[in-house]
């Protein structure tokens, strides 16, 4: 039952998943050397898992006249994926490299591919259809040599990639980027594990000569052989996805913050327009903006703070000792004072004296200032939704606020 479920999962889901990654990475495929290598690796993997589909198998056999050509295509795709993986690792390391090292990798990959092709056509038996036809001939010297070449190429590339990825972890800042590199290292380790396990499994299973009712070889595989490549692909996808996903999450977080700040920002910049940094935009237009929004978010938070300072310039300082208050109390006090100050400004009246406890409010860093202003903006919005009798009164240390016309 387990094998019945695993095979359709691997055969159908993995090609769809792999090609989805290929199309996703296509726009950035030719921007950098790393992008080209990464795209080439995923494309090779997609080809390798796609040829296992029965329809593709039949089409390739009809096109080439070789009944089990999918076996060769699958293994050549694996060799190319291993090559592009090494090229990707080298590219992201960003270290100078001698031309001889690149030529050596090309010669290694080319030799492996040519050897596999020659062995396939000159040595392997071709008495069964499809990529699993070879499963009826394990133990044949030619088959063992063919598989030895493939497993060696895959193991060497995966081992080298695992070492390079893992050694680079300490040079990568903590956070999403390091998590991505760790996933790539783990994916490479699973590639090595799969190769070693596959060799062990084949050797321990002996010469598979079992045929099904249709006379086709029973695939010499198990759930582990199916699962490890799938896990490896998922980890590779996670490794290259975590940094951009983090960027998208940051973009969405900043957009939400800008949306929440907009009512307060709009009111204070209408009253004190000189604090606007850049071009003022509408609330809905901001949702259509692309790219990094963190700078705009910082600008708006500090624009609100600058407006507060300007509103306080012509007002007397609050006096009198006050008991310590919680941040929540301070937020409500500042929001209430801002509401009265802006209403007075609209009527041509001076702002009321700010409470002394507001002198040191805000954050020491841009992020702290943004967090503070988001809290103030939430309290500011809640004032309009609060019945008039329940609205915050001017703070005792603010003195008597001038009457508000209207």
């Amino acid at each position: 039952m387990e094998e019945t479920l695993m095979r359709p999962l691997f055969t159908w889901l993995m090609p769809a998943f792999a090609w989805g990654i290929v199309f996703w990475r296509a726009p950035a495929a030719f921007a950098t050397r790393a992008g080209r290598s990464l795209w080439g690796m995923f494309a090779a993997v997609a080809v390798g898992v796609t040829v296992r589909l029965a329809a593709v198998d039949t089409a390739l056999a009809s096109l080439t006249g070789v009944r089990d050509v999918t076996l060769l295509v699958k293994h050549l795709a694996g060799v190319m994926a291993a090559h592009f993986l090494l090229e990707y690792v080298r590219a992201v390391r960003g270290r100078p490299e001698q031309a001889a090292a690149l030529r050596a990798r090309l010669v290694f990959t080319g030799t492996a591919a040519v050897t596999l092709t020659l062995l396939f056509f000159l040595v392997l038996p071709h008495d069964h259809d499809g990529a699993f036809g070879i499963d009826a001939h394990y133990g044949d010297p030619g088959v063992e040599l063919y598989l030895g070449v493939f497993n060696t190429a895959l193991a060497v590339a995966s081992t080298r990639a695992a070492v390079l990825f893992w050694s680079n972890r300490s040079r990568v800042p903590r956070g999403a980027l390091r998590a991505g590199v760790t996933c790539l290292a783990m994916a490479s380790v699973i590639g090595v594990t799969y190769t070693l396990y596959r060799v062990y499994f084949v050797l321990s299973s002996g010469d598979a000569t079992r045929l099904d009712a249709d006379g086709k070889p029973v695939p010499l595989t198990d759930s582990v052989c199916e699962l490890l490549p799938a896990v490896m692909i998922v980890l590779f996808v996670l490794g290259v996805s975590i940094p951009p996903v983090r960027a998208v999450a940051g973009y969405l977080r900043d957009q939400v913050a800008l949306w929440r700040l907009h009512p307060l920002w709009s009111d204070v910049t209408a009253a004190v327009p000189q604090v606007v940094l850049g071009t003022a935009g509408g609330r809905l237009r901001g949702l259509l903006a692309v790219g990094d929004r963190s700078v705009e978010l910082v600008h708006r938070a500090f624009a609100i703070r600058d407006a507060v300072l300007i509103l306080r310039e012509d007002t007397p300082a609050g006096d009198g000792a006050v008991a310590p208050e919680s941040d929540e109390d301070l937020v409500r006090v500042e929001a209430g004072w801002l509401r009265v100050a802006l209403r007075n400004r609209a009527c041509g009246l001076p702002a009321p004296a700010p409470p002394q406890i507001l002198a040191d409010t805000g954050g020491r860093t841009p992020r702290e200032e943004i967090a503070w202003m988001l809290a103030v903006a939430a309290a500011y919005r809640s004032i309009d939704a609060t019945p008039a009798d329940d609205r915050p009164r001017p703070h005792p240390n603010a003195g008597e606020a001038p009457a508000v016309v209207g």
Side-chain angles (χ1 to χ4, degrees), residues 51-375:
V51 295
R52 300 185 65 176
L53 298 174
V56 177
D57 186 356
T58 302
L60 286 176
S62 300
L63 182 64
T64 62
V66 182
R67 60 194 307 181
D68 58 347
V69 71
T70 51
L71 174 69
L72 177 63
V73 175
K74 180 181 72 172
H75 286 142
L76 290 179
V79 170
M80 294 307 300
H83 171 75
F84 283 122
L85 171 62
L86 273 182
E87 294 305 305
Y88 174 70
V89 180
R90 292 291 183 181
V92 296
R93 278 168 62 88
R95 296 183 180 181
E97 185 180 26
Q98 295 181 351
L102 175 58
R103 287 196 299 269
R105 291 197 300 275
L106 289 173
V107 169
F108 178 79
T109 301
T111 301
V114 170
T115 303
L116 286 174
T117 303
L118 292 176
L119 290 174
F120 177 82
F121 286 106
L122 301 179
V123 177
L124 295 190
H126 303 283
D127 52 353
H128 293 286
D129 295 334
F132 294 107
I134 195 176
D135 289 32
H137 299 282
Y138 283 115
D140 183 282
V143 172
E144 291 182 347
L145 179 59
Y146 177 88
L147 292 176
V149 172
F150 172 73
N151 289 329
T152 299
L154 189 61
V156 168
S158 299
T159 302
R160 187 60 179 155
V163 171
L164 293 175
F165 276 132
W166 194 261
S167 64
N168 279 343
R169 287 181 68 256
S170 60
R171 301 183 181 92
V172 175
R174 293 182 180 273
L177 192 56
R178 180 175 292 190
V181 174
T182 302
C183 286
L184 293 173
M186 293 173 60
S188 302
V189 170
I190 288 185
V192 179
T193 304
Y194 166 75
T195 305
L196 296 177
Y197 178 80
R198 184 64 182 170
V199 171
Y200 158 77
F201 179 75
V202 170
L203 292 177
S204 63
S205 299
D207 186 5
T209 56
R210 290 187 300 128
L211 304 178
D212 60 18
D214 298 326
K216 297 179 180 180
V218 176
L220 189 59
T221 187
D222 67 353
S223 298
V224 177
C225 293
E226 301 283 7
L227 184 61
L228 286 178
V231 174
M232 180 179 65
I233 294 174
V234 170
L235 284 174
F236 269 122
V237 172
L238 285 176
V240 300
S241 300
I242 288 176
V245 167
R246 178 175 177 269
V248 172
Y251 169 82
L252 295 177
R253 181 188 64 243
D254 291 343
Q255 284 284 46
V256 170
L258 285 167
W259 179 269
R260 291 168 56 195
L261 274 182
H262 190 273
L264 177 58
W265 175 83
S266 179
D267 287 355
V268 299
T269 54
V272 191
Q274 64 267 34
V275 301
V276 177
L277 297 174
T279 303
R283 196 177 192 184
L284 292 176
R285 183 180 298 178
L287 294 179
L288 303 178
V290 296
D292 186 11
R293 302 291 285 151
S294 60
V295 174
E296 180 69 15
L297 180 57
V298 171
H299 283 177
R300 293 202 175 185
F302 280 99
I304 296 172
R305 177 58 62 198
D306 290 343
V308 170
L309 296 177
I310 291 174
L311 290 172
R312 292 178 183 176
E313 283 180 355
D314 299 328
T315 62
D319 52 12
V322 295
E325 301 195 30
S326 67
D327 286 346
E328 185 177 351
D329 293 332
L330 292 176
V331 164
R332 287 197 296 266
V333 170
E334 182 155 16
W337 178 83
L338 264 173
R339 176 63 75 182
V340 176
L342 291 176
R343 287 177 177 173
N344 284 12
R345 183 89 170 191
C347 299
L349 299 173
Q356 183 181 0
I357 59 173
L358 297 182
D360 297 324
T361 56
R364 295 182 177 86
T365 66
R367 278 295 167 189
E368 289 178 356
E369 184 67 26
I370 291 169
W372 178 263
M373 284 304 171
L374 285 171

Side-chain angles (χ1 to χ4, degrees), residues 2-25:
E2 183 180 6
E3 183 175 350
T4 304
L5 292 175
M6 286 297 299
R7 184 164 297 284
L9 177 66
F10 184 86
T11 304
W12 292 101
L13 181 60
M14 291 313 299
F17 182 67
W19 283 112
I21 299 301
V22 170
F23 291 126
W24 169 56
R25 297 293 306 180

